[in-house]
Amino acid sequence: MEGQRASFGGKISAILVAAGSAIGLGSIWRFPYMAGEHGGAAFLLVYLLCVFVVGIPVMLGEFAVGRATKQNAVGGFRSLSKPWRWLGYNGVIGALFISGYYYVVAGWSLEYLVSSFTGLYSSSASFSEQFSAFQLSPRQAIYTVAFILLTHLIIIRGVEKGIEKASKVMMPALFIILIIMAVRVAFMPNAIEGYRFFLNPNFKEAFSADTIFTAIGQAFFSLSVGMGCMVTYASYFKSNNNLTGTSFSVALLTLLVAVLAGLVIFPAVFSAGLEPAEGASLIFVTLPEIFKDMPLAQLWSGVFFILLVLASLTSTISFHEVLTAYFAEEHKLSRKAATRLTSALSVALCMLTLFWTFDVDFAGLHLEKISFFDIFDYTTANILMPLGGLFTCIFVAWWMKKDFLQGEMTNHGKLRGRAFPLLYFTLRYITPLLIVYIFVKNLGLF
Ligand code: PFF
């Protein structure tokens, strides 16, 4: 089996592809949108904490399972312990739910990339009107399907050629472009207000149950952990990969992008007198407001949305791969057939999100126009992924013998693994207790 299975080239490749999965709409679209709604700097502070205390240990646990077993998420957990295969299914369901709305937002970025050059800046309608009009037009579905196709084409070329090559070019480009943007925005009038909002925490607000709950969900989502994605990717790592180093590098790169995105978006929002709690449309409505007053508006806008498309693509590839590897290996489909099935399911789920809303009228509760967009987003980031993370901790640090994680962290004695005692302790006690605490606190039980 091992001989036939593909693997990623070297150390840098492993970091690049895993960071490619992690860095995406989660850091550039979702992070500012959540931070804007949950107190800015307070949210950043709790998010930082969650990345270190929860994100890195869980990612390491997933890496260990994936590389030790060299299988998809379900096969990986199952081959270590049969009853735990359901943890892999949690990931498969998570990947399906994410597919159901992530491509829609990725489609928005594709639309904005194109319209940067074809009318976004020459229309007489406001940007907010243009965003609403786009959401009502059939173009939204077309761009969503186009994005699924783009992902499909990369996946169909296979693990090494497709994923690795794509990430190697996209990741460095992403950093360079973000840094240029952050520097440009610093010279805008009133930018200081944005820095204050994003960097100067109000401690009273920082530890509200809601902020913590949202921040931990954001940490899971942005690091692609808690749903078997890193299990799947690590199954392609080489046996000499330093898993601890890789997990730290991936988490730090992701953090850097999220912070850079905040440093681009909030000064820009305040400079233009806009609202940070705009919601899911935040970057799509506010950034064009800024670009329009800059020289070469179309170019700046095009560059930003190219960046968003590239970052999204390396992430869509990764959850597509969770499903493709699962269908291919667990249901004995050819890779081609598994890729096609995954893409077809993604199209179906996105159509559900785009064309169906429903009302809830139950036991005095009346909610109108509920859409699958919010259901998929909320359940994956706030429920499936934290629960997946919690059980990954229990599996790796309680169910498996201590040697399992130690062996993977030290490459069976070849590395020193000085961080092992601390990370093992964190995985065994701190991370699971923190996740449980946050769930209980959010339910208002104490
Ligand atoms: N981490 C990705 C992002 O921040 O955009 C989203 C994601 C990818 C979540 C893959 C989960 C996953 F398995």
Side-chain angles (χ1 to χ4, degrees), residues 92-269:
V92 169
I93 294 169
L96 277 172
F97 279 20
I98 291 188
S99 306
Y101 80 97
Y102 198 100
Y103 288 113
V104 173
V105 185
W108 297 347
S109 47
L110 200 54
E111 150 84 10
Y112 272 67
L113 167 58
V114 175
S115 70
S116 292
F117 300 100
T118 60
L120 185 62
Y121 296 97
S122 53
S123 163
S124 57
S126 72
F127 295 122
S128 146
E129 285 163 353
Q130 292 195 62
F131 185 76
S132 308
F134 169 57
Q135 289 202 298
L136 294 174
S137 90
R139 272 179 303 158
Q140 188 176 217
I142 295 169
Y143 279 107
T144 301
V145 174
F147 212 99
I148 296 174
L149 258 177
L150 215 58
T151 310
H152 179 93
L153 291 176
I154 295 185
I155 291 269
I156 211 125
R157 298 187 62 205
V159 173
E160 295 126 302
K161 279 193 229 124
I163 303 178
E164 200 175 330
K165 238 192 209 157
S167 302
K168 264 189 184 157
V169 183
M170 290 176 198
M171 293 288 303
L174 179 67
F175 274 99
I176 295 169
I177 294 166
L178 263 182
I179 290 168
I180 295 173
M181 296 281 302
V183 171
R184 171 66 185 88
V185 160
F187 294 100
M188 295 177 67
N190 217 17
I192 187 78
E193 283 297 315
Y195 295 123
R196 207 166 282 144
F197 175 79
F198 185 54
L199 300 173
N200 188 11
N202 167 352
F203 284 92
K204 272 203 207 106
E205 216 173 314
F207 298 103
S208 82
D210 195 37
T211 301
I212 301 177
F213 190 64
T214 315
I216 197 168
Q218 176 62 25
F220 275 104
F221 187 83
S222 65
L223 295 174
S224 310
V225 297
M227 50 161 281
C229 182
M230 292 304 182
V231 173
T232 308
Y233 263 23
S235 72
Y236 305 116
F237 286 0
K238 291 244 156 82
S239 57
N240 62 0
N241 188 293
N242 178 344
L243 298 184
T244 322
T246 304
S247 59
F248 270 90
S249 310
V250 170
L252 291 178
L253 289 172
T254 309
L255 252 184
L256 193 64
V257 170
V259 171
L260 275 173
L263 291 177
V264 169
I265 285 154
F266 291 114
V269 165

